[in-house]
């Protein structure tokens, strides 16, 4: 599939139905999903008509603050708009994904944080000759990434592969959407993408593919892994990584209007342990990141205070436990289970 004349595929009823099925997964009890499905056929046909004749306009984003316990501002799109996001990504993702580097790990089929962990372990063993010699890691993070993505730069990158004006029009509609908090009178959005949208996750990979290409093909680094805006580079010599760090920061500033986070981008000895994709990775074992431990304790405390139900807490614990199994966390898991069941009155 190439990037020409693909708009009809995006708004086709077949694609919208598949997109609806994806968008509703795990969300069937949500009010906006229930409301949309009360008149499903009519609503899908209306969406099809609006997209076909380019009169589609996204509903205003709803902003809410999530504390788990880290405070994050999440932007929630209306369900009908989430269907459009899935419809767009279903068609254009294959065009871009085949050009992504192997070690771009987030939001890709067959990849994820477990894949990134396995690659990190492999690279660590190779660079240290199976943990027999010292090596170093640039553990880097991009400052305020989702807030700083420049729309003009992103669109130019997308247009290298998508030569379809109507598809670009739809992408602009999604990128330019503003929040209900602004009353819809917000300035035309020229940068930033809302946390929470499928399209934001996908566009994030497109944008930072430019960095991936620079690191792999210009700097010719061998051991590089990226997970969203969090990336690592491994090398035997600290001096080499220091040079690369300067060049990467310059590239981000000049080409992508981004910069490395000054506090979160450090060169660390591998033997000290590297905080990457939710785990603190030491030579012979892994521990959960402190934030993940704090999060489950925070949820338990919410349950004890009656803010969430036992059913909801157990659902959260199930997901957390599946994640925690990847670390050396037997005693930690026993402690968490003990806390959950310690309140016999509930």
């Amino acid at each position: 599939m190439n990037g020409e004349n693909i708009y009809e595929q995006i708004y086709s009823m077949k694609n919208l139905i598949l997109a609806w099925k994806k968008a509703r997964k795990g969300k069937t009890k949500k009010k906006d999903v229930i409301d949309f499905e009360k008149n499903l056929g009519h609503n899908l046909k209306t969406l099809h008509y609006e997209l076909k004749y380019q009169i589609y306009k996204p509903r205003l984003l709803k902003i809410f603050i999530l504390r788990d316990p880290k405070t994050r501002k999440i932007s929630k799109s209306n369900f009908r708009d989430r269907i459009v996001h899935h419809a767009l990504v279903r068609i254009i993702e294959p065009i871009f994904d085949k050009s992504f580097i192997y070690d771009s790990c987030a939001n890709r089929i067959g990849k994820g944080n477990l894949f990134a962990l396995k690659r990190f372990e492999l690279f660590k063993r190779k660079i240290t000759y199976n943990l027999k010699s010292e090596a170093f890691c640039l553990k880097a993070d991009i400052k305020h990434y989702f807030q700083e993505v420049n729309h003009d730069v992103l669109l130019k990158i997308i247009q290298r592969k998508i030569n379809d004006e109507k598809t670009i029009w739809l992408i602009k509609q999604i990128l330019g959407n503003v929040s209900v908090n602004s009353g819809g009178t917000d300035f035309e959005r020229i940068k930033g993408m809302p946390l929470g949208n499928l399209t934001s996750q996908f566009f994030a990979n497109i944008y930072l593919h430019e960095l991936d290409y620079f690191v792999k093909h210009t700097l010719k680094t061998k051991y590089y892994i990226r997970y969203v805006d969090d990336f690592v580079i491994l090398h035997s010599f600290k001096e080499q990584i220091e040079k690369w760090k300067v060049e990467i920061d310059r590239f981000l500033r000049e080409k992508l209007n981004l910069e490395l986070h000054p506090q979160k981008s450090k060169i660390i000895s591998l033997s000290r342990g590297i905080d990457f994709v939710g785990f603190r990775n030491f030579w012979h074992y892994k521990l959960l990141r402190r934030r993940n431990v704090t999060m489950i304790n925070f949820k338990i405390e919410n349950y004890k205070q009656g803010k969430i139900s036992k059913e909801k807490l157990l659902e959260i614990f199930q997901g957390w436990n599946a994640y925690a199994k990847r670390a050396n966390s037997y005693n930690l898991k026993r402690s968490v289970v003990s806390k959950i069941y310690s309140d016999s009155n509930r």
Side-chain angles (χ1 to χ4, degrees), residues 26-41:
K27 310 285 185 182
T28 54
K29 295 179 182 179
K30 300 290 184 182
K31 185 179 184 302
D32 57 349
V33 179
I34 293 169
D35 289 344
F36 187 90
E37 293 180 350
K38 284 177 182 175
N39 202 349
L40 179 61

Side-chain angles (χ1 to χ4, degrees), residues 58-61 77 81 172-179 189 194:
R59 306 271 171 87
L60 297 177
L61 295 166
S77 294
D81 297 321
K172 287 180 178 178
Q173 295 297 308
I174 294 168
L175 286 174
N177 196 14
V178 295
S179 73
R189 190 195 291 271

Side-chain angles (χ1 to χ4, degrees), residues 66-117:
L66 190 65
R67 294 182 177 87
D68 59 353
K70 181 183 176 182
T71 301
R72 292 179 291 156
K73 187 169 79 170
I74 305 296
S75 302
K76 183 181 178 184
S77 294
N78 187 273
F79 182 63
R80 75 193 302 270
D81 297 321
R82 298 203 298 276
I83 293 172
V84 174
H85 299 169
H86 279 276
L88 172 69
V89 172
R90 281 197 78 259
I91 301 303
I92 70 172
E93 184 175 34
I95 298 170
F96 288 92
D97 190 76
K98 60 188 176 185
S99 68
F100 290 162
I101 67 166
Y102 187 73
D103 290 307
S104 168
C105 302
N107 307 309
R108 296 180 66 196
I109 295 170
K111 302 290 174 78
N113 56 10
L114 179 57
F115 177 85
L117 276 175

Side-chain angles (χ1 to χ4, degrees), residues 6-199:
I6 59 173
Y7 189 64
E8 288 185 11
Q9 297 173 52
I10 292 169
Y11 72 74
S12 72
M13 281 301 297
K14 179 181 178 182
N15 191 45
L16 287 177
I17 290 169
L18 291 171
W20 158 68
K21 289 180 179 178
K22 283 250 182 181
R24 78 190 296 269
K25 193 172 182 180
K27 310 285 185 182
T28 54
K29 295 179 182 179
K30 300 290 184 182
K31 185 179 184 302
D32 57 349
V33 179
I34 293 169
D35 289 344
F36 187 90
E37 293 180 350
K38 284 177 182 175
N39 202 349
L40 179 61
H42 171 77
N43 287 330
L44 285 175
K45 287 175 184 175
T46 300
L47 209 48
H48 168 81
Y49 181 88
E50 290 178 9
L51 290 167
K52 180 177 181 178
Y53 293 102
Q54 291 183 274
I55 58 174
Y56 164 76
K57 192 77 176 172
R59 306 271 171 87
L60 297 177
L61 295 166
K62 291 184 179 179
I63 308 295
F64 62 96
I65 303 300
L66 190 65
R67 294 182 177 87
D68 59 353
K70 181 183 176 182
T71 301
R72 292 179 291 156
K73 187 169 79 170
I74 305 296
S75 302
K76 183 181 178 184
S77 294
N78 187 273
F79 182 63
R80 75 193 302 270
D81 297 321
R82 298 203 298 276
I83 293 172
V84 174
H85 299 169
H86 279 276
L88 172 69
V89 172
R90 281 197 78 259
I91 301 303
I92 70 172
E93 184 175 34
I95 298 170
F96 288 92
D97 190 76
K98 60 188 176 185
S99 68
F100 290 162
I101 67 166
Y102 187 73
D103 290 307
S104 168
C105 302
N107 307 309
R108 296 180 66 196
I109 295 170
K111 302 290 174 78
N113 56 10
L114 179 57
F115 177 85
L117 276 175
K118 287 179 178 177
R119 295 294 285 174
F120 182 84
E121 184 67 24
L122 175 67
F123 290 174
K124 180 178 72 175
R125 289 189 174 274
K126 283 187 174 183
I127 202 71
T128 61
Y129 300 96
N130 206 24
L131 309 181
K132 292 175 183 174
S133 64
E134 182 59 283
F136 297 88
C137 175
L138 169 60
K139 166 66 176 68
D141 185 280
I142 295 171
K143 186 178 180 182
H144 301 150
Y145 176 50
F146 280 87
Q147 297 165 243
E148 295 297 330
V149 168
N150 184 285
H151 291 187
D152 286 340
V153 174
L154 175 61
L155 287 166
K156 284 175 184 174
I157 295 169
I158 291 172
Q159 285 173 309
R160 291 182 207 153
K161 292 186 179 290
I162 303 294
N163 185 24
D164 185 316
E165 288 185 8
K166 292 181 177 179
T167 300
I168 297 300
W169 167 83
L170 178 58
I171 291 170
K172 287 180 178 178
Q173 295 297 308
I174 294 168
L175 286 174
N177 196 14
V178 295
S179 73
V180 70
N181 300 38
S182 68
T185 58
D186 206 346
F187 58 86
E188 175 111 13
R189 190 195 291 271
I190 60 170
K191 69 176 184 177
M193 301 186 298
L195 279 174
N197 278 0
L198 171 71
T199 46

Side-chain angles (χ1 to χ4, degrees), residues 263-285:
Q263 281 79 48
K264 296 181 181 178
S265 301
K266 299 176 182 178
I267 299 170
I268 307 166
S269 166
L270 281 172
S271 61
R272 284 180 53 197
I274 307 300
D275 194 340
F276 185 52
V277 291
F279 297 87
R280 292 156 61 205
N281 299 273
F282 296 91
W283 275 30
H284 299 289
Y285 61 93

